[in-house]
Amino acid sequence: MPKRRDFTNGLPDPIALREEILKKYPAKIAKKRIKGIVINDPEVDQEIMVNVRTIPGIITQRGCTYAGCKGVVLGPTRDIINLVHGPIGCSFYAWLTRRNQTRVPEGGDNFINYCYSTDMQDENIVFGGEAKLKEAVREAFEIFKPKAIGIFSTCPVGLIGDDVHSVARDMKAELGINIFGFSCEGYRGVSQSAGHHIANNGVFKHVVGLNDRERVGKFQVNLLGEYNIGGDAFEIEALFEEAGITLLSTFSGNSTIKSMEYSHTADLNMVMCHRSINYIAEMMEEKYGIPWVKVSFVGAEATCKSLRKIADYFGDAGMKAKVEEIIAREMAKVEAVKSSIKPRVEGKLAMMFVGGSRAHHYQDLFGELGIRTVSAGYEFAHRDDYEGRKVIPTIKIDADTRNIEELTVSKDEAHFRPDLVEKKAELESNGFAFKDYDGMMPDMLKNSLVIDDVNHWETEKLIEFYKPDVFCAGIKEKYVVQKAGVPLKQLHSYDYGGPYTCFGGAINFYVEMERMLATNIWKMIDAPWKNESELVGSMTIEY
Ligand code: CFM
């Protein structure tokens, strides 16, 4: 295996690598693809082409719209039955493979460890599946007595024209619980991103605002875009509790649909994963006047920054003091572990290709250990996630995006909070930033390679060129990358690890990286086919 290159004096210009990658594609494809592969310069604004259809025939990392709606946004909510209308295969990967966890209080409902499907058959495709769907809703209600049921459309539902919304309305009237449908057929958008938007719309339309619960805390917040993978939300919840921040609802890690019903009584929305949930944040501001800020609890430094931001927002001296006390105490623990691990992993190189937010957030965690990110990209993010929200007005709406309903939201006079609007204006005049997402590219090194919707061929070339010490992606990539002699850390499910949020999570991550990186084992292995002769078989057919 060739020696790893020395990048201590800056990253090499990857122009030759990009050319080699593109050479493999037909000219028309290469012309399009080059727009999704950007050689980064944090000082220069560069446009990246994203949120467009994957080229057919390419091995993409992406998932489908149904995955984004059912699995990602609604999946972690425990007291709603998420019923999949479709063939059973569509449910296989929706069954907790994402490792979203939940803590059920005594006597509380928890349906997330079940898989609900109408198990559509050929017969339903030919004659229609609405009757079967109604039966399934009745059956689920009789057995589990849920307070809400969501119905999720898979590809065939859209193709045959089953109307899940009218079934939902009928069943709501019949059973007297909240039932609503999602037109989130897998093909509806170019990726799971469309499913996020559809889920946001559905939850906003059918759930948020149903319960005007009295205030229970002095400082009430919602956390948006945190999905409690590997217990991440538990860390954040504990931190908030200690800081005196009342978390009303999380969309949707460790959450209940009941809590989303009164989420409009919050004083602030915090957005963790901007890609999957900015829509609800925007709509809640429109309708109720609740401002939102971007936060991240991935990385000890990011956690400090986010905690201070919340304390600054509320402007309460007691909370500020408490936050500083927590930070001082926890950072001492973080520093102790970091100082012993950092010298062993510093200077290593990482790559990450995940989703729509983690490829950015996790660069902070690696950065704390002195590990540089040489190349990164999202699977399905939009330009604002790469280049920052400032580019939103320049994003062109294409036919695929038009496919997704854009809700018209107006002010809810009875629940609108002019006090929050005033607070926001005052804070803004003092330099406090709201809706403040600057995107991933300004945070990345010069000459790092930013690639959207990376594919298998490109992955191989990247590994060859950079020889990274760790590659972060998902289960589909894991073993292929490891066979190339590079350890892979799953940043979707965390393999079997986590939590990685807040201070305790940062420590977990440092320890995990030491385990993965401070070993030479990966450099010693070679794929068997490189050293052993090929196995050749023969077959005799007798007539
Ligand atoms: Fe948001 Fe996510 Fe992500 Fe995402 Fe996802 Fe996920 Fe992800 Mo996998 S909501 S965009 S659709 S942070 S499931 S919890 S890890 S691809 S980077």
Side-chain angles (χ1 to χ4, degrees):
M1 188 172 278
K3 272 182 106 177
R4 196 163 65 77
R5 296 168 204 203
D6 179 12
F7 296 155
T8 39
N9 297 317
L11 303 182
D13 186 347
I15 192 133
L17 166 66
R18 187 168 69 174
E19 263 160 31
E20 202 184 324
I21 285 173
L22 295 169
K23 243 184 3 213
K24 186 95 171 171
Y25 301 132
K28 216 173 122 192
I29 302 293
K31 219 173 125 197
K32 185 180 165 196
R33 190 66 194 129
I34 194 172
K35 297 180 184 156
I37 307 178
V38 171
I39 298 169
N40 194 53
D41 184 344
E43 304 298 324
V44 180
D45 287 337
Q46 293 188 85
E47 186 175 331
I48 185 163
M49 190 204 245
V50 299
N51 195 30
V52 289
R53 294 181 195 184
T54 300
I55 299 149
I58 266 173
I59 305 179
T60 172
Q61 297 181 318
R62 281 177 170 175
C64 68
T65 300
Y66 150 78
C69 184
K70 191 272 173 197
V72 174
V73 179
L74 270 298
T77 306
R78 65 174 172 264
D79 61 345
I80 176 172
I81 283 188
N82 290 324
L83 173 60
V84 179
H85 188 31
I88 196 65
C90 297
S91 288
F92 184 81
Y93 286 107
W95 192 16
L96 285 183
T97 47
R98 188 168 170 237
R99 296 186 70 242
N100 46 282
Q101 303 181 0
T102 201
R103 244 180 221 151
V104 196
E106 189 74 28
D109 285 336
N110 179 21
F111 306 123
I112 70 171
N113 43 5
Y114 293 94
C115 232
Y116 301 91
S117 168
T118 53
D119 184 22
M120 231 176 187
Q121 302 293 318
D122 298 0
E123 184 192 320
N124 311 121
I125 305 283
V126 176
F127 299 106
E130 290 181 12
K132 189 168 194 187
L133 175 58
K134 282 190 178 174
E135 269 317 301
V137 172
R138 281 190 197 104
E139 191 183 337
F141 178 74
E142 269 159 36
I143 300 172
F144 296 98
K145 297 284 181 301
K147 295 172 200 82
I149 297 178
I151 301 167
F152 298 84
S153 308
T154 57
C155 292
V157 173
L159 296 174
I160 64 172
D162 272 3
D163 186 348
V164 298
H165 304 285
S166 82
V167 170
R169 276 193 299 274
D170 290 354
M171 297 315 291
K172 186 176 177 174
E174 184 181 315
L175 302 174
I177 59 165
N178 196 4
I179 302 178
F180 42 93
F182 296 89
S183 292
C184 56
E185 293 85 354
Y187 61 76
R188 195 164 277 269
V190 299
S191 68
Q192 51 268 65
S193 170
H196 301 148
H197 196 164
I198 293 163
N200 277 233
N201 286 351
V203 169
F204 189 73
K205 245 191 338 199
H206 299 288
V207 182
V208 173
L210 289 182
N211 179 352
D212 296 334
R213 196 178 78 153
E214 288 293 309
R215 291 188 73 90
V216 293
K218 206 167 157 201
F219 311 107
Q220 301 199 139
V221 302
N222 296 314
L223 180 60
L224 275 52
E226 206 308 308
Y227 300 96
N228 203 18
I229 313 302
D232 277 354
F234 301 146
E235 291 286 314
I236 303 172
E237 287 167 14
L239 207 55
F240 284 1
E241 200 181 331
E242 194 184 351
I245 301 161
T246 305
L247 181 60
L248 292 187
S249 186
T250 300
F251 293 67
S252 58
N254 193 29
S255 72
T256 61
I257 208 87
K258 287 278 137 194
S259 70
M260 293 176 191
E261 291 177 356
Y262 52 74
S263 58
H264 64 299
T265 62
D267 308 316
L268 176 69
N269 277 330
M270 289 173 293
V271 172
M272 177 111 161
C273 166
H274 174 266
R275 181 66 269 131
S276 63
I277 209 97
N278 70 83
Y279 318 94
I280 283 191
E282 289 283 322
M283 291 190 285
M284 280 174 92
E285 178 153 17
E286 258 330 284
K287 190 167 177 179
Y288 304 108
I290 306 168
W292 70 265
V293 293
K294 174 77 177 68
V295 293
S296 169
F297 294 97
V298 178
E301 297 295 340
T303 303
C304 296
K305 207 172 135 204
S306 298
L307 277 177
R308 288 187 174 123
K309 182 134 196 173
I310 306 165
D312 284 346
Y313 172 78
F314 286 109
D316 178 79
M319 186 194 285
K320 281 187 179 176
K322 189 73 204 172
V323 159
E324 291 309 323
E325 181 195 320
I326 296 170
I327 290 175
R329 184 192 68 212
E330 295 301 315
M331 282 307 274
K333 294 184 210 162
V334 166
E335 291 299 337
V337 179
K338 196 168 82 178
S339 61
S340 79
I341 293 176
K342 194 171 172 182
R344 307 193 66 200
V345 296
E346 201 167 13
K348 303 256 183 197
L349 306 176
M351 279 183 192
M352 54 209 80
F353 295 93
V354 246
S357 79
R358 292 186 177 188
H360 183 195
H361 288 164
Y362 275 79
Q363 291 188 31
D364 289 345
L365 254 180
F366 279 112
E368 287 170 8
L369 289 174
I371 299 170
R372 282 170 302 165
T373 303
V374 288
S375 184
Y378 298 123
E379 289 169 53
F380 49 74
H382 297 199
R383 276 184 60 207
D384 35 328
D385 305 295
Y386 283 99
E387 302 169 54
R389 286 182 61 87
K390 64 174 191 284
V391 303
I392 289 178
T394 67
I395 295 178
K396 291 182 202 80
I397 307 293
D398 59 13
D400 287 303
T401 312
R402 268 198 204 96
N403 223 355
I404 308 160
E405 189 189 9
E406 198 62 58
L407 296 185
T408 330
V409 181
S410 49
K411 209 169 167 180
D412 176 341
E413 295 294 348
H415 298 95
F416 196 81
R417 298 275 305 272
D419 60 320
L420 297 181
V421 177
E422 237 169 71
K423 187 185 182 62
K424 181 183 170 188
E426 196 193 315
L427 283 164
E428 261 178 337
S429 68
N430 293 324
F432 189 101
F434 290 90
K435 306 185 179 198
D436 49 336
Y437 190 44
D438 296 334
M440 178 170 83
M441 283 158 64
D443 278 351
M444 288 183 66
L445 293 171
K446 187 168 165 56
N447 278 341
S448 55
L449 200 56
V450 180
I451 308 187
D452 183 66
D453 188 19
V454 78
N455 60 50
H456 182 81
W457 156 248
E458 292 160 1
T459 301
E460 277 185 13
K461 287 283 130 190
L462 280 169
I463 290 174
E464 225 175 271
F465 182 79
Y466 288 108
K467 303 182 179 55
D469 298 284
V470 59
F471 195 102
C472 302
I475 191 68
K476 296 196 289 292
E477 298 77 36
K478 187 172 176 87
Y479 299 102
V480 176
V481 170
Q482 292 192 162
K483 281 172 189 169
V486 177
L488 186 142
K489 177 67 189 170
Q490 288 194 65
L491 284 189
H492 301 265
S493 71
Y494 299 161
D495 294 295
Y496 309 99
Y500 295 138
T501 47
C502 304
F503 305 107
I507 291 173
N508 285 344
F509 195 79
Y510 300 161
V511 172
E512 173 79 359
M513 281 311 115
E514 182 190 32
R515 191 182 66 79
M516 287 180 83
L517 298 181
T519 165
N520 286 324
I521 192 76
W522 295 99
K523 306 275 176 270
M524 292 173 182
I525 56 161
D526 256 335
W529 56 85
K530 285 190 181 164
N531 305 320
E532 288 159 26
S533 57
E534 207 179 324
L535 266 184
V536 182
S538 65
M539 192 166 62
T540 316
I541 301 172
E542 284 177 23
Y543 293 97

